[in-house]
Amino acid sequence: MEGPIVSIDVSNGNSHYMCFIKNNKRFGKVKKIDHDIEGFKRLLEDIQKLEAETNEKVCAVFEATGVYTKPLERFLSKNSIKTYNQSFRICQKTERRNT
């Protein structure tokens, strides 16, 4: 994916995020926010700084983790930030041993 993005690792009640100008060129450092008004305000400020730096709209990329992503999705939608999310399924192989 080209262009400015914010990559977000969503957890229960908080997220870690990193901004990228293009490809793997970082913009700032990894930051942690809580899923509250202050946390989302800080995220929006960083997104606006990235947009000012690149003169392009930023998109957010994160893993769809069910209920944990809902507050983040609402915030991004309300602020007209394009999102890409992916749901990963982990397949676990179990082995039975005859003992």
Side-chain angles (χ1 to χ4, degrees):
M1 178 178 296
E2 290 191 31
I5 65 165
V6 58
S7 176
I8 307 170
D9 181 15
V10 182
S11 298
N12 183 11
N14 61 62
S15 292
H16 289 83
Y17 69 93
M18 178 82 204
C19 295
F20 294 88
I21 292 176
K22 190 173 188 178
N23 297 331
N24 289 325
K25 186 175 179 186
R26 294 179 179 194
F27 182 77
K29 59 182 181 175
V30 175
K31 297 182 182 177
K32 180 180 177 182
I33 59 164
D34 290 326
H35 292 173
D36 59 16
I37 293 170
E38 285 301 311
F40 289 140
K41 181 180 174 184
R42 287 189 10 238
L43 175 59
L44 182 59
E45 288 170 356
D46 282 344
I47 289 172
Q48 291 169 338
K49 288 177 188 175
L50 182 56
E51 287 180 342
E53 175 74 19
T54 62
N55 291 318
E56 294 182 58
K57 295 296 278 180
V58 172
C59 67
V61 179
F62 56 92
E63 179 183 357
T65 56
V67 297
Y68 297 160
T69 58
K70 294 302 178 194
L72 177 66
E73 288 175 316
R74 281 192 299 270
F75 162 76
L76 294 170
S77 175
K78 179 181 174 185
N79 288 280
S80 302
I81 299 167
K82 188 173 184 175
T83 61
Y84 293 94
N85 59 50
Q86 178 67 44
S87 178
F88 296 98
R89 288 192 172 163
I90 298 174
C91 297
Q92 184 175 1
K93 183 179 179 180
T94 58
E95 294 182 18
R96 298 179 97 183
R97 292 185 179 197
N98 294 331
T99 54

